[in-house]
Amino acid sequence: SKLKSREIKNIKPERTLSVSAEGKVVATPDLANINFSVITEAKTAKEAQTKNTDKMNSVIEYLKGIDIDKQDIKTTSYYLSPKYDYPNGRMILAGYTLTNSITIKVRDFDNLGNIIAKSVDLGINQIGDVQFSIENPDTLKAEAGELAIKNAKEKARVLAGQAGVRLGKIVTFSESDASS
């Protein structure tokens, strides 16, 4: 019990100044993700698969030919479903619908319109959202973090001056990501 009371006597009250600040970095997107689909209807499943595969393979070969890396072309869905007609209230198999979708990454925005137009000519008949993003956001996040720390230090310096106290070293900090 003597040890505990000695430890308590040696504890000095911490004097802290807490501030919050943010760092913002603006960047232009350098990557477009595009979803392309070939939707094919045919009397048989085999016919739907053959027609669909021929069209999608033509698109993929074209994309590789214009230097889209094969790792930037990913199949995202392949869905074969029956199609029915209902004459006189009876369900009759009318054929099959095959939807084959890929997502591609495009870095050359000057060529984006040509890629879409040529892909449609080769058989793409559905285009999903074109999503623009930053390929490597970590560098930008680090830059924003450095700016936030600099802003927090400046804010603390001003507040300490107003309060007539001296700043010591940073005791603790926390970070939150508010990317948008």
Side-chain angles (χ1 to χ4, degrees):
S1 85
K2 263 189 168 180
L3 183 58
K4 284 185 180 175
S5 77
R6 196 177 297 146
E7 287 175 353
I8 290 170
K9 287 181 183 176
N10 289 333
I11 293 175
K12 295 180 182 175
E14 290 287 332
R15 291 182 287 189
T16 60
L17 172 65
S18 296
V19 296
S20 66
E22 65 181 7
K24 289 185 180 181
V25 176
V26 178
T28 302
D30 59 0
L31 182 67
N33 285 296
I34 308 171
N35 185 269
F36 284 160
S37 298
V38 175
I39 301 169
T40 306
E41 293 184 357
K43 288 284 183 195
T44 66
K46 179 73 174 161
E47 184 185 359
Q49 289 174 321
T50 301
K51 287 179 177 181
N52 193 292
T53 300
D54 289 347
K55 289 176 184 178
M56 189 58 84
N57 284 346
S58 295
V59 172
I60 291 171
E61 288 308 309
Y62 159 70
L63 294 170
K64 288 179 184 176
I66 60 166
D67 295 328
I68 303 281
D69 191 302
K70 68 180 179 180
Q71 292 183 340
D72 289 339
I73 305 168
K74 291 192 174 21
T75 299
T76 53
S77 71
Y78 189 91
Y79 184 72
L80 178 67
S81 61
K83 181 180 166 192
Y84 296 98
D85 283 336
Y86 296 90
N88 301 321
R90 290 184 21 214
M91 183 171 76
I92 297 175
L93 180 64
Y96 291 87
T97 302
L98 177 64
T99 303
N100 184 2
S101 301
I102 61 172
T103 297
I104 64 167
K105 292 180 181 179
V106 178
R107 291 171 181 80
D108 179 5
F109 290 0
D110 291 340
N111 204 17
L112 197 54
N114 292 334
I115 290 170
I116 291 170
K118 181 65 176 177
S119 295
V120 168
D121 289 346
L122 292 170
I124 294 297
N125 52 13
Q126 186 176 64
I127 298 172
D129 292 340
V130 178
Q131 307 245 335
F132 294 96
S133 62
I134 305 292
E135 186 164 21
N136 294 310
D138 291 343
T139 304
L140 296 169
K141 287 180 183 179
E143 194 178 320
E146 288 175 23
L147 188 56
I149 290 170
K150 179 182 172 190
N151 291 343
K153 284 181 177 179
E154 178 59 23
K155 189 186 270 189
R157 188 188 65 73
V158 169
L159 289 172
Q162 291 171 345
V165 296
R166 255 181 342 129
L167 289 176
K169 62 182 179 177
I170 295 175
V171 176
T172 183
F173 76 96
S174 65
E175 179 180 19
S176 65
D177 185 0
S179 299
S180 60

